């Protein structure tokens, strides 16, 4: 399906952002105050880089953002951002990259087929991996924001969030295309799970 170059596409160009996706994060941040100065933020599926551009500004020089994507990023990013080209399923951070994060965000999207159930399952696999990474790399009390597709295993994903976060919200930003099945799941207050 050919995507229409809408108001947000042109606005992103004018504002110097790498993608219109930035306005989804901006809107969710305005409502839920996710990003704070000095935060350590992990951005899963960060290319072409508009979320990292926004995050870098909000966390300031004393913060640190790390982005991972299969694709390279060509946009220029400030020195408080570290980009890794690779697959999140293979990521094994060491040293400073392995220190816990205050916020993990994922705007990851699978290669879509147009078959709703297949695409929903592929999206679920990415979300499940983001949850699993957050269980290791997110601080207790931290926040996880993940893009998910409606349908299929969405309710299962929501339940997993509810088990692991004190509060769970569903966000559909205005800049998310109306015809798109995407939603964002927001987990606030990562619980400290005790193994029994
Ligand atoms: C919608 S784009 C992200 C846009 C980004 N938030 C921005 O503002 O520029 C989705 C990204 O997820 C990435 N992605 C999908 N599967 C991935 C995986 N297994 N590991 C890393 N990145 C992945 C894709 O390569 C793609 O660049």
């Amino acid at each position: 399906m050919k995507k229409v170059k809408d108001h947000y596409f042109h606005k992103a160009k004018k504002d110097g952002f790498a993608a219109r996706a930035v306005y989804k994060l901006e809107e969710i941040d305005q409502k839920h105050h996710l990003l704070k100065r000095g935060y350590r933020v992990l951005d899963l599926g960060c290319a072409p880089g508009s979320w990292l551009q926004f995050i870098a500004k909000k966390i300031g020089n004393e913060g640190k953002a790390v982005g991972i994507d299969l694709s390279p990023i060509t946009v220029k990013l400030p020195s408080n951002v570290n980009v890794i080209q690779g697959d999140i399923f293979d990521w094994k951070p060491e040293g400073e990259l392995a220190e816990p994060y205050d916020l993990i965000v994922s705007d990851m999207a699978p290669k879509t087929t147009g078959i709703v159930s297949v695409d929903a399952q592929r999206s679920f696999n990415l979300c499940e991996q983001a949850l699993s990474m957050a269980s290791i790399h997110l601080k207790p009390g931290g926040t996880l924001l993940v893009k998910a597709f409606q349908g299929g295993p969405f309710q299962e994903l929501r339940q997993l969030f509810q088990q692991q976060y004190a509060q769970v919200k569903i966000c559909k930003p205005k800049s998310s295309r109306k015809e798109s099945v995407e939603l964002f799941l927001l987990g606030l207050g990562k619980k400290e799970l005790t193994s029994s």
Side-chain angles (χ1 to χ4, degrees), residues 21 45-51 69-70 86-89 107-109 126 147:
C46 61
S50 75
W51 281 27
D69 205 292
L70 296 167
D87 191 324
I88 56 141
F89 288 93
D107 191 23
M108 281 188 296
L126 291 173
K147 177 163 81 183

Side-chain angles (χ1 to χ4, degrees), residues 128-142:
E128 217 185 12
Q129 179 66 6
L131 259 175
S132 158
M133 290 171 81
S135 73
I136 301 166
H137 300 293
L138 187 64
K139 290 180 186 171

Side-chain angles (χ1 to χ4, degrees), residues 3 17-25 43-55 68-73 75 84-90 105-111 122 126 129 147 182 184:
K3 289 193 174 154
F17 285 111
R20 69 189 290 295
V22 69
Y23 301 111
K24 302 176 199 173
L25 180 61
D43 181 1
L44 306 175
C46 61
S50 75
W51 281 27
L52 281 177
Q53 289 175 293
F54 181 75
I55 291 166
I68 314 172
D69 205 292
L70 296 167
S71 303
I73 286 195
V75 73
I84 294 142
Q85 190 180 349
D87 191 324
I88 56 141
F89 288 93
D90 301 330
V105 294
S106 166
D107 191 23
M108 281 188 296
K111 280 211 166 74
R122 286 187 182 180
L126 291 173
Q129 179 66 6
K147 177 163 81 183
E182 74 181 13
F184 289 84

Side-chain angles (χ1 to χ4, degrees), residues 7-181:
H7 158 72
Y8 291 106
F9 173 90
H10 295 290
K11 184 168 163 50
K13 271 216 141 63
K14 191 168 132 272
D15 294 346
F17 285 111
R20 69 189 290 295
V22 69
Y23 301 111
K24 302 176 199 173
L25 180 61
E26 183 187 48
E27 194 180 324
I28 296 171
D29 182 53
Q30 271 168 3
K31 189 158 181 203
H32 298 286
H33 311 290
L34 308 183
L35 286 156
K36 300 204 166 60
R37 286 194 87 74
Y39 262 19
R40 282 177 58 79
V41 182
L42 179 61
D43 181 1
L44 306 175
C46 61
S50 75
W51 281 27
L52 281 177
Q53 289 175 293
F54 181 75
I55 291 166
K57 252 201 200 131
K58 296 279 302 201
I59 61 178
N61 288 337
E62 60 272 48
K64 175 86 195 166
V66 176
I68 314 172
D69 205 292
L70 296 167
S71 303
I73 286 195
T74 53
V75 73
K76 197 167 161 25
L77 291 163
S79 59
N80 60 343
V81 181
N82 200 333
V83 176
I84 294 142
Q85 190 180 349
D87 191 324
I88 56 141
F89 288 93
D90 301 330
W91 192 54
K92 291 185 183 61
E94 287 177 358
E96 206 257 329
L97 295 183
E99 284 172 23
Y101 293 85
D102 300 287
L103 169 67
I104 298 182
V105 294
S106 166
D107 191 23
M108 281 188 296
K111 280 211 166 74
T112 50
T113 60
I115 304 165
V116 176
S117 58
V118 173
D119 294 344
Q121 185 60 49
R122 286 187 182 180
S123 161
F124 177 78
N125 295 345
L126 291 173
C127 296
E128 217 185 12
Q129 179 66 6
L131 259 175
S132 158
M133 290 171 81
S135 73
I136 301 166
H137 300 293
L138 187 64
K139 290 180 186 171
T143 301
L144 174 65
L145 176 70
V146 167
K147 177 163 81 183
F149 285 5
Q150 295 173 62
F154 181 77
Q155 290 311 330
E156 191 184 331
L157 187 66
R158 190 179 180 176
Q159 277 171 11
L160 289 172
F161 264 74
Q162 282 164 341
Q163 285 162 15
Q164 296 174 36
Y165 292 83
Q167 273 189 72
V168 178
K169 311 220 177 256
I170 296 175
C171 314
K172 175 80 179 171
K174 282 205 239 14
S175 50
S176 173
R177 296 176 196 274
K178 292 209 172 43
E179 69 276 17
S180 163
V181 291

